[in-house]
Amino acid sequence: MTALVFTGAAFFLSLCTGKYPLSLSELLSGDEAGLRVFQTLRLPRTVMALCAGFCLGCAGMVYQIIFQNPLASPDIIGVSSGASVGAAAAILFIQASPAGITAWAFGGALIAVFFALALTSLTGQKNLTSMVLSGIAVNALAQSLLMALKFTADPEKELASIEYWIMGSLGSITASKIPVPLIVSAAGILLLFFFCQKILLLSLSDEEARALGVPVTLLRLLLLSIATLLVAATVSVTGLIGFIGLLAPHTARLLLKTNSRTTLFLSGLLGSALLLTADLIARSTVAELPVSILTSALGAPFLLWILFQEGKK
Amino acid sequence: MKLEITGFSAGYNKKPIVTDISFMLQPKTLTALLGPNGCGKTTLFKGLCHLIPSSGSCILTSDDGGAPYNLMQLNNRKLAQHISYIPQKSSISASMPVLEAVLMGFQPFLPLLSRTGKFHRVAAFSALETVGMQDFAAHDFCTLSEGQKQLCILARTLVQNTDILLLDEPDSALDYPNRNKILNILRKIVYDNNKAGLLILHDPCTALNHCAQLLLMKEGRLIGSVHPDQDSETVLSEALSQLYGPVQVFRQHNRFFLYPL
């Protein structure tokens, strides 16, 4: 069963990657130069979708284990809201180019998480609850800041840019945008796989883990930083992509019924599959749809279908 | 191997809940810690494991021939190499195979950047065999019954291979036949491996029948200690009456029985 799903997901991915000529089949019959141009656009975009989906899937699983909460997603300590504020500020204050928006979004995400973690240690209680509460506080602050920025934005152009960014899209991905996120993601993913056994240790209560000599606070900080870096790197380039960080780990766990390296890998794979599908549909309709609309629209029925299948057994 | 505790105090927020505790643990034996609810037994355990602020003297003389360890000066990781703590209920919140849960026992000996290997898996499996749970090695830990989980956590403690075992009510989640079984397993483990076990128990009868020393605790202090194989029935009855009201201990067929008067 596992192998079947695994192969299915992998096949799906290669299918998506190979669907180059499909959406614009008229171009294939056209000139070779045109095709090459589209390869430079289509290929980076597909690669980014693969990478981003994988990052979000893996990071989502790590967040759910660390926070011992199946509803945890990367938003829980403010990555997404921080990135949104960064992007909005970039659009408003410096009329930034896409690269500038990316940089500011990345900065915003890291500042938000840093803030949340700093708040946690300031309270003196370095346990999970205080971390979640700090995350809630930071999210609230970021949201109000974002609303303030949107309020002062010019409704004609700037506000639309901000909203469009927040909805997430892979449409503006070109070859030049790929290397940095790809390298950061690859490094982060490798680290997560390396630390997989240690991640599971954080599913114990603080007391039981400490009694086993596990440096709970340090480990939590380390793993959260890696996962957050993955999400921040992804989200700052693509905008916010919702639901994958929540859905992919759940589905992977539902299928494999355990938490292990394989589950982490499957979670990443499912994230990629979902994002690739969503992006495919997003660019195939009349207008270039933001991808978050589709990740939720596709993801929810998929999860229900899986639950249905499991219930039948 | 022996553990000497002198003048030990522990508590939250600068207010000690247990004060001036002194006792000794001898190897190859189980010691029971008896006392009413809320008298500070679990607090004592947490203090010994450095999970809450504590003070006092805690000297462990190990069999390795080296200098005695002052446990109060060790960090959590080094301490976990000498004392293992089995809580009442395991807090594992994510699904994982039983073997993976048992492998966690190696953590005190693994630096941050390393993982368990084939050797560890073999050792973990044989620990599961000792407690009789080897058939469940690949099962999801979270689907086991409480009693089965207790046995797996006991296997984890075996893998941790510490001189001192602290067990918080190891029998309370178990059904009647399994209670005896787990205590017999514990007795055998400490005897065969020259360890010492300190158990929080609620049933004085179980304590009398399995433990070589009973420590009596009330309101954060030790009010006495008895040794079932040395003391007379009268001494045992008097001591236990301090905790449980008038009770009578008697010995028959080489086993202890206790009833309230």
Side-chain angles (χ1 to χ4, degrees), chain A residues 64-65 67-69 190-191 193-198 200-215 218-219 222 253 257-261, chain B residues 12 46 49 51-52 76-77 80 83-85 87 89-97 100 103-105 107-108 110-116 140 153 156 160:
Chain A
Q64 282 172 6
I65 294 180
F67 284 97
Q68 296 181 10
N69 182 350
L190 282 173
L191 279 173
F193 272 91
F194 180 71
F195 281 119
C196 196
Q197 194 179 56
K198 304 284 182 185
L200 287 180
L201 285 172
L202 291 178
S203 70
L204 293 171
S205 71
D206 279 13
E207 267 179 5
E208 205 172 331
R210 286 209 177 93
L212 281 170
V214 176
L218 179 68
L219 194 63
L222 177 68
R253 254 200 307 271
K257 304 204 181 3
T258 188
N259 290 291
S260 62
R261 280 238 208 91
Chain B
Y12 310 88
K46 290 188 184 174
C49 293
L51 297 174
I52 57 175
N76 274 50
R77 196 166 145 247
I83 297 191
S84 59
Y85 172 53
K89 262 181 88 163
S90 174
S91 60
I92 292 182
S93 61
S95 294
M96 63 181 81
E100 196 64 47
L103 282 171
M104 287 184 182
Q107 286 306 318
L110 290 173
L112 187 65
L113 296 176
S114 62
R115 295 195 297 255
T116 55
D140 178 11
I153 298 302
R156 184 180 83 194
Q160 212 177 332

Side-chain angles (χ1 to χ4, degrees), chain B residues 201-217:
Chain B
L201 292 171
H202 271 303
D203 180 16
C205 222
T206 316
L208 285 165
N209 282 311
H210 290 278
C211 303
Q213 180 183 206
L214 272 64
L215 299 171
L216 309 172
M217 196 165 176

Side-chain angles (χ1 to χ4, degrees), chain A residues 297-311:
Chain A
L298 283 179
F302 180 62
L303 180 62
L304 286 172
W305 180 76
I306 299 262
L307 276 172
F308 217 41
Q309 295 294 96
E310 295 296 310

Side-chain angles (χ1 to χ4, degrees), chain A residues 171-248:
Chain A
S172 55
I173 308 286
T174 56
S176 57
K177 285 194 181 179
I178 295 283
V180 175
L182 206 64
I183 293 170
V184 175
S185 308
I189 290 172
L190 282 173
L191 279 173
L192 282 184
F193 272 91
F194 180 71
F195 281 119
C196 196
Q197 194 179 56
K198 304 284 182 185
I199 298 175
L200 287 180
L201 285 172
L202 291 178
S203 70
L204 293 171
S205 71
D206 279 13
E207 267 179 5
E208 205 172 331
R210 286 209 177 93
L212 281 170
V214 176
V216 176
T217 325
L218 179 68
L219 194 63
R220 200 174 277 156
L221 210 68
L222 177 68
L223 293 170
L224 265 182
S225 303
I226 300 174
T228 303
L229 209 68
L230 275 181
V231 177
T234 305
V235 150
S236 55
V237 175
T238 63
L240 298 190
I241 300 179
F243 212 60
I244 293 183
L246 187 61
L247 173 63

Side-chain angles (χ1 to χ4, degrees), chain A residues 15 54 82-83 106 119 126 157 162 186 219 251 261 265 293:
Chain A
L15 196 72
F54 202 87
F106 190 71
L119 273 177
K126 295 177 194 174
K157 281 184 66 187
I162 295 175
L219 194 63
T251 317
R261 280 238 208 91
F265 190 71
I293 297 177

